[in-house]
Amino acid sequence: MQCYDKYLKAAFKEAATKAGHPEWELPDNAGTYNDTPDSTEFFGSNGTYLTDKGKFFLTWYSNNLITHGDDILDEANKAFLGCKVKLAAKVSGMHWWYNSPSHAAELTAGYYNLYDRDGYRPIARMLSRHDAILNFTCLEMRDSEQDAAAKSAPQELVQQVLSGAWREHIEVAGENALSRYDSYAYNQILLNARPNGITNKGVPKMHGFTYLRSSDDLFEDTNFELFKIFVKKMHADQEYCSDPAKYGKELKPLKRSKPKIPIEDLLDATTPMKPLPWDEETDMKVDG
């Protein structure tokens, strides 16, 4: 966990005391970076994360990060007020251990996400008051490409996070995590950008996509030819349009953020919901 400096130790002790548990301390049984969840007391079977003490800590930990993000966005809003910009916040794609009961990687990073608790929709709800974009990653990844031992599920994670954001009526953007130049990766990105294809019905479409990254490998002849096809497919085979207003993406002067949302209202969004429906494959494949 990233909370062991003297300030956060004091903050946790104050919160625990206020909750009637002055004896509670920060966890010291969550292992180290290279441990597996089952080898730790905190994340193991019937681990600390399932106890009242563990739940209190994880709620405090994740709430602190949400509040911090809210404060930073509020300052950014004031700094850019009136400018033609759109604020965004990056949410990390912790897809390893997603299929394990404890979701250890996510919990360690402050995303309190379990099978019975949504750790991402509260973030999206917080972003909604700033009219900010949720920017997510690992859009190119498929479950079948991951090491089974890591219990990784990037496809399910992407669908959960994007669905939660769209349910909170905010825009979603994304990016790939790894340098990929193949049709499998491009087709997966296209699917996540338009989960129900080129239609005005069904799931919303992604606001924007950042491709990572420019390199000599990308500009190698075969790779670059496929990349150009990918870009065209992301634009639904339409020609370049220099006027964002024509496709509903006109940047308007930034308005002041709406009033702060009470933490209790943010936590109402932790109730898990099934992801929105995703097609099996994109209708705009780069390879035919």
Side-chain angles (χ1 to χ4, degrees):
M1 310 293 181
Q2 307 296 313
C3 58
Y4 293 99
D5 62 80
K6 62 181 180 180
Y7 303 106
L8 282 171
K9 282 183 177 179
F12 179 77
K13 178 59 73 173
E14 180 182 352
T17 301
K18 188 179 293 186
H21 290 281
E23 75 281 6
W24 282 352
E25 302 286 349
L26 291 170
D28 59 2
N29 60 351
T32 58
Y33 287 117
N34 290 323
D35 285 328
T36 57
D38 288 340
S39 69
T40 72
E41 187 179 345
F42 191 91
F43 294 115
S45 178
N46 297 316
T48 306
Y49 79 97
L50 296 171
T51 66
D52 288 342
K53 177 182 176 181
K55 292 177 180 178
F56 177 83
F57 163 73
L58 289 167
T59 301
W60 170 85
Y61 187 42
S62 61
N63 285 358
N64 265 292
L65 290 170
I66 293 173
T67 300
H68 175 65
D70 191 24
D71 291 343
I72 293 296
L73 281 166
D74 199 57
E75 291 301 316
N77 176 271
K78 287 185 282 188
F80 294 108
L81 195 64
C83 298
K84 289 187 176 183
V85 297
K86 187 87 170 175
L87 298 180
K90 171 73 176 289
V91 176
S92 304
M94 299 292 182
H95 55 86
W96 45 95
W97 303 118
Y98 186 89
N99 275 339
S100 68
S102 67
H103 289 239
E106 294 167 276
L107 266 55
T108 305
Y111 300 116
Y112 189 7
N113 189 57
L114 297 170
Y115 77 94
D116 60 352
R117 189 188 195 278
D118 192 327
Y120 299 98
R121 201 153 60 91
I123 299 172
R125 183 166 294 183
M126 177 273 288
L127 294 175
S128 70
R129 90 169 181 101
H130 304 287
D131 192 29
I133 298 169
L134 189 152
N135 187 38
F136 201 60
T137 185
C138 63
L139 297 189
E140 85 286 6
M141 292 184 171
R142 299 182 299 162
D143 296 356
S144 60
E145 298 167 340
Q146 313 307 315
D147 187 341
K151 297 184 179 179
S152 174
Q155 288 176 250
E156 287 79 358
L157 176 60
V158 166
Q159 291 178 21
Q160 179 192 346
V161 174
L162 269 56
S163 295
W166 282 325
R167 283 188 167 117
E168 294 300 322
H169 309 293
I170 65 171
E171 297 277 13
V172 174
E175 58 193 48
N176 53 306
L178 304 175
S179 297
R180 294 278 298 269
Y181 315 104
D182 59 282
S183 59
Y184 294 108
Y186 290 145
N187 288 339
Q188 188 64 29
I189 294 168
L190 285 157
L191 173 61
N192 288 323
R194 291 187 292 261
N196 295 149
I198 303 171
T199 174
N200 290 326
K201 300 178 181 179
V203 175
K205 298 171 181 61
M206 193 166 281
H207 178 84
F209 176 78
T210 300
Y211 179 79
L212 304 174
R213 49 198 50 84
S214 178
S215 68
D216 290 340
D217 289 334
L218 174 62
F219 294 110
E220 186 272 322
D221 288 348
T222 304
N223 289 344
F224 193 50
E225 286 305 311
L226 188 59
F227 177 73
K228 287 192 287 185
I229 295 172
F230 164 67
V231 172
K232 192 72 178 288
K233 295 297 182 183
M234 285 291 277
H235 288 275
D237 280 337
Q238 301 300 300
E239 295 300 326
Y240 172 70
C241 175
S242 61
D243 183 2
K246 290 185 177 179
Y247 51 92
K249 302 298 182 184
E250 182 180 11
L251 278 175
K252 298 179 180 179
L254 190 66
K255 296 181 180 179
R256 189 70 182 98
S257 295
K258 294 185 279 291
K260 196 174 187 71
I261 302 173
I263 193 67
E264 296 78 16
D265 292 346
L266 294 179
L267 295 183
D268 282 344
T270 59
T271 302
M273 301 177 71
K274 287 185 178 181
L276 298 169
W278 247 250
D279 292 346
E280 288 294 320
E281 57 183 29
T282 178
D283 59 351
M284 294 294 288
K285 287 186 174 182
V286 297
D287 51 356

